[in-house]
Amino acid sequence: MLVLVAPGQGAQTPGFLTPWLELPGAADRVAAWSDAIELDLAHYGTTADADAIRDTAVAQPLLVAAGLLSASALGSPAAFGAVAGHSVGEITAAAYAGVLSEADALSFVRTRGLGMAEAAAVTETGMAAVLGGERDVVVAHLEKLGLTPANINGAGQIVAAGTMEQIAALEADKPEGSMKVVALKVAGAFHTHHMAPAVATLAKAAEALAPADPALKYVSNKDGLVVATGADVVARLVGQVANPVRWDLCMETFAELGVTGIIELCPGGTLTGLAKRALKGVPSVALKTPDDLDKAAALIAELTV
């Protein structure tokens, strides 16, 4: 079974959207999306610098737009048995599964980005990845420092979130058995209580949505469960901004479902990297540029004969 995955915030790099805009019709689609959400996606995806696209209100719509462009270049969702997204990537996944229209996905993620940016402005917060170490040992150490294990990603990676003072304390005092602590390119302590104000904002925005039930298995990073209804998907999208991401449980679900291959949407690399360590032997393709589409097509053809 092929699984499609969509990356989350921090995967963006300056200029990453540039080659995708050369695909037929892509520039026009992005221009229309930009007008609809009042954000120049083409500018931020091509010429803006790292600091500009680190802004939560910019990064999140940009990532969903890139995911949707690369997903459409793959063709019909019928080749895939399941879909999942990491953090904001869940909105991309919801659109690919038919839960949300592209227009609704972009509108919703714009509201999400603005709401989370506003919540992040209250207190100076951030996130850092802890690489290596036993999960329980790392989590206990984070909690001792007042940090939240905001992303439990599996494959020896847990992302801590909290105030910048707490992040600095973690960098000075790594958990036992861990190799290093790496600061992430995000502008807030996402998936923690610091994001609670954004939940109310998203709940209000969700009232305008008319979600359909997923057309393929939708794996939620709240708990790794397969979600059957569109209403449940949207409810989880709302609450998830203040709850930890359990990507480790998503990968366990992929294994239980019999995953035979994984394709990661643009800007790919992070989730396939985790899968190579946690789902050993499962082939994967990360879509970084349109040049990777041929490799993805080959994997799809091989696994859907």
Side-chain angles (χ1 to χ4, degrees):
M1 181 193 71
L2 267 171
V3 175
L4 187 78
V5 296
Q9 200 165 339
Q12 73 277 7
T13 56
F16 79 97
L17 195 62
T18 301
W20 294 96
L21 293 178
E22 297 174 4
L23 295 177
D28 289 340
R29 291 177 71 195
V30 170
W33 292 339
S34 297
D35 289 343
I37 65 173
E38 299 182 346
L39 183 71
D40 191 343
L41 295 165
H43 161 68
Y44 285 111
T46 59
T47 60
D49 62 19
D51 285 339
I53 62 173
R54 182 174 175 267
D55 181 348
T56 303
V58 170
Q60 294 191 11
L62 186 58
L63 286 165
V64 171
L68 294 176
L69 276 184
S70 56
S72 63
L74 285 174
S76 170
F80 295 91
V83 63
H86 190 286
S87 189
V88 71
E90 285 204 301
I91 297 176
T92 311
Y96 195 73
V99 176
L100 300 176
S101 68
E102 289 184 347
D104 281 349
L106 267 298
S107 175
F108 190 73
V109 75
R110 179 64 165 148
T111 301
R112 185 186 195 269
L114 289 167
M116 291 177 72
E118 185 176 347
V122 174
T123 305
E124 190 177 5
T125 57
M127 304 177 81
V130 180
L131 306 181
E134 293 294 328
R135 185 182 71 183
D136 292 347
V137 172
V138 173
V139 168
H141 188 80
L142 297 182
E143 291 174 346
K144 182 185 75 173
L145 296 176
L147 288 155
T148 299
N151 303 164
I152 301 180
N153 288 330
Q157 184 187 108
I158 294 176
V159 175
T163 67
M164 297 311 293
E165 292 81 4
Q166 291 167 335
I167 296 292
L170 173 64
E171 292 173 331
D173 180 18
K174 298 191 298 293
E176 180 182 352
S178 64
M179 295 179 290
K180 58 181 176 179
V181 174
V182 181
L184 300 187
K185 297 177 287 186
V186 297
F190 306 141
H191 303 290
T192 72
H193 67 277
H194 292 285
M195 294 294 108
V199 174
T201 300
L202 282 177
K204 181 67 176 176
E207 293 175 2
L209 301 176
D213 293 341
L216 61 162
K217 292 183 175 65
Y218 180 97
V219 182
S220 169
N221 66 41
K222 177 181 179 181
D223 46 24
L225 294 181
V226 175
V227 182
T229 70
D232 194 4
V233 169
V234 170
R236 286 164 176 261
L237 291 177
V238 169
Q240 190 60 5
V241 296
N243 293 324
V245 171
R246 293 302 305 268
W247 193 252
D248 58 332
L249 299 180
C250 289
M251 291 195 292
E252 287 179 13
T253 298
F254 299 162
E256 291 168 2
L257 292 172
V259 59
T260 55
I262 296 174
I263 293 177
E264 182 179 0
L265 296 175
C266 174
T270 302
L271 302 181
T272 47
L274 292 170
K276 285 174 182 175
R277 297 191 293 276
L279 298 169
K280 294 184 184 300
V282 176
S284 63
V285 174
L287 297 180
K288 299 178 181 180
T289 75
D291 291 341
D292 297 313
L293 289 170
D294 286 344
K295 289 181 285 187
L299 183 61
I300 291 171
E302 176 186 345
L303 299 178
T304 57
V305 173

